[in-house]
């Protein structure tokens, strides 16, 4: 891999990991659903400017529904569950559980799309899910509080929601312009999260400290726009199998960010379960790249 490609990939992974940390900052002061609704609502006009500047093509009529589902599940539902989880359990733990999305996508492709998986991939799935089960079991043994248990449920819901969005959108992936897809799913996510916020969280926040505003700006501009641009550049320079493997570094890096910047603590059981989960994911990525 060339130095420039490695720099792009490393920067993308660091930004992707930081998404969980800045979310952890915001949800300490603002309700999670209002935070996301405001974030998406402010990001969509920025993406519209980019789409107009690049003269991106509108999706074909048959693909519009897939973009809507991507927004409802792959971004809006995913982040709604994830931010609700981060209000209850450490951000690094949420990042790790959300990283199981490829396990769910692979299982979904096999069960619903009838795409066969190599035997080694099934081993990776088994190991990865064992890691998630171990995470929940050992936390429960340590005395899982009701709020923490709900956080686990939300985090798993985030991974499931994202997997559903990706599976539905997959056939249109090569046809829809990446910036148009980003604008579409961000707009749908804004509507979804604002509606949920009004229904479930009451009045919107009216003030915020400077760390919350800084985290929101980072989440909108650096993560919401910059990460997409870097991911697009990375996919053109780095083999898909390598890119998938590099993204496995995001959860442990998110845990480090949470420990260093938010004072979060991960237990030995979290580390053991995390190693198993990421090991299973790595095996799955390796098996699919060989196939």
């Amino acid at each position: 891999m060339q130095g420039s490609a490695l720099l792009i990939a490393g920067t993308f992974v660091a930004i992707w990991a930081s998404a969980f940390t800045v979310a952890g900052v915001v949800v300490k002061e603002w309700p999670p659903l209002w935070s996301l609704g405001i974030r998406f609502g402010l990001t969509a006009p920025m993406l519209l400017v980019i789409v107009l500047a690049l003269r991106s093509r509108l999706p074909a009529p048959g693909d519009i529904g897939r973009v809507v589902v991507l927004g409802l599940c792959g971004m809006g539902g995913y982040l709604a569950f994830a931010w609700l989880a981060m209000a209850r359990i450490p951000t690094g733990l949420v990042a790790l559980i959300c990283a199981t999305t490829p396990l769910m996508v692979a299982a979904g492709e096999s069960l619903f799309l009838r795409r066969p998986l190599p035997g080694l991939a099934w081993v990776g799935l088994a190991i990865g899910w064992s890691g998630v089960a171990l995470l929940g079991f050992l936390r429960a043994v340590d005395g899982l509080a009701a709020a923490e248990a709900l956080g686990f449920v939300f985090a798993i819901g985030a991974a499931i929601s994202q997997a559903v969005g990706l599976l539905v959108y997959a056939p249109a992936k090569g046809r829809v312009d990446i910036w148009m897809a980003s604008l579409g799913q961000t707009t749908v996510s804004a509507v979804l999260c604002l509606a949920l916020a009004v229904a479930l969280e009451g009045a919107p926040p009216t003030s915020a400290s400077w760390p919350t505003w800084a985290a929101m700006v980072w989440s909108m501009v650096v993560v919401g726009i910059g990460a997409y641009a870097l991911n697009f550049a990375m996919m053109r320079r780095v083999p898909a199998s390598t890119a998938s493997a590099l993204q496995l570094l995001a959860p442990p890096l998110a845990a480090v960010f949470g420990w260093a910047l938010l004072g979060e603590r991960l237990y030995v059981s979290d580390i053991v379960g995390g190693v198993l989960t990421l090991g299973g994911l790595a095996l799955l990525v390796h098996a699919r790249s060989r196939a």
Side-chain angles (χ1 to χ4, degrees):
M1 190 189 303
Q2 296 180 348
S4 59
L6 184 61
L7 178 62
I8 290 172
T11 304
F12 170 78
V13 170
I15 290 175
W16 204 246
S18 75
F20 294 90
T21 310
V22 295
V25 173
V26 174
V27 297
K28 288 183 182 298
E29 187 169 0
W30 279 5
L33 296 175
W34 271 117
S35 302
L36 281 171
I38 293 169
R39 176 201 156 176
F40 289 136
L42 294 176
T43 304
M46 302 180 198
L47 291 170
L48 178 61
V49 171
I50 294 174
V51 163
L52 293 175
L54 297 176
R55 298 180 180 179
S56 300
R57 301 185 313 274
L58 287 170
D63 290 333
I64 291 177
R66 295 186 183 278
V67 173
V68 170
V69 173
L70 183 64
L72 289 174
C73 299
M75 177 179 278
Y78 158 61
L79 288 179
F81 278 125
W83 283 44
L84 285 166
M86 285 185 281
R88 293 164 172 82
I89 59 177
T91 58
L93 196 54
V94 176
L96 176 61
I97 297 173
C98 288
T100 62
T101 293
L103 298 175
M104 299 180 184
V105 170
E109 287 177 341
S110 177
L111 296 173
F112 301 111
L113 302 181
R114 302 302 179 186
R115 294 177 183 170
L117 283 175
L120 194 60
W122 284 108
V123 175
L125 282 173
I127 294 174
W129 282 117
S130 297
V132 175
L134 186 64
L135 278 171
F137 173 75
L138 293 179
R139 277 267 177 162
V141 170
D142 287 337
L144 193 65
E148 287 183 314
L150 190 56
F152 263 88
V153 172
F154 283 143
I156 293 173
I160 294 173
S161 183
Q162 187 180 40
V164 170
L166 292 175
L167 284 168
V168 172
Y169 179 71
K173 186 176 181 180
R175 301 191 296 262
V176 180
D177 176 85
I178 185 173
W179 289 110
M180 185 61 73
S182 181
L183 172 62
Q185 66 175 332
T186 300
T187 303
V188 171
S189 298
V191 174
L192 171 67
C193 290
L194 287 172
L196 289 173
V198 170
L200 301 176
E201 293 180 343
T206 56
S207 62
S209 60
W210 73 262
T212 296
W213 280 119
M216 282 290 286
V217 171
W218 182 278
S219 183
M220 288 186 295
V221 178
V222 180
V223 177
I225 296 176
Y228 272 91
L230 282 172
N231 186 48
F232 186 54
M234 181 176 70
M235 289 305 176
R236 290 187 297 179
R237 292 171 171 81
V238 178
S241 58
T242 304
S244 298
L246 285 171
Q247 290 182 40
L248 295 178
L249 297 174
L253 190 56
V256 171
F257 287 162
W259 166 76
L261 301 176
L262 302 178
E264 293 179 344
R265 178 186 173 190
L266 291 177
Y267 297 94
V268 174
S269 59
D270 298 332
I271 297 172
V272 173
V275 169
L276 272 177
T277 302
L278 294 178
L281 282 166
L283 193 58
L284 172 66
V285 169
H286 175 67
R288 299 188 74 178
S289 67
R290 289 181 59 187

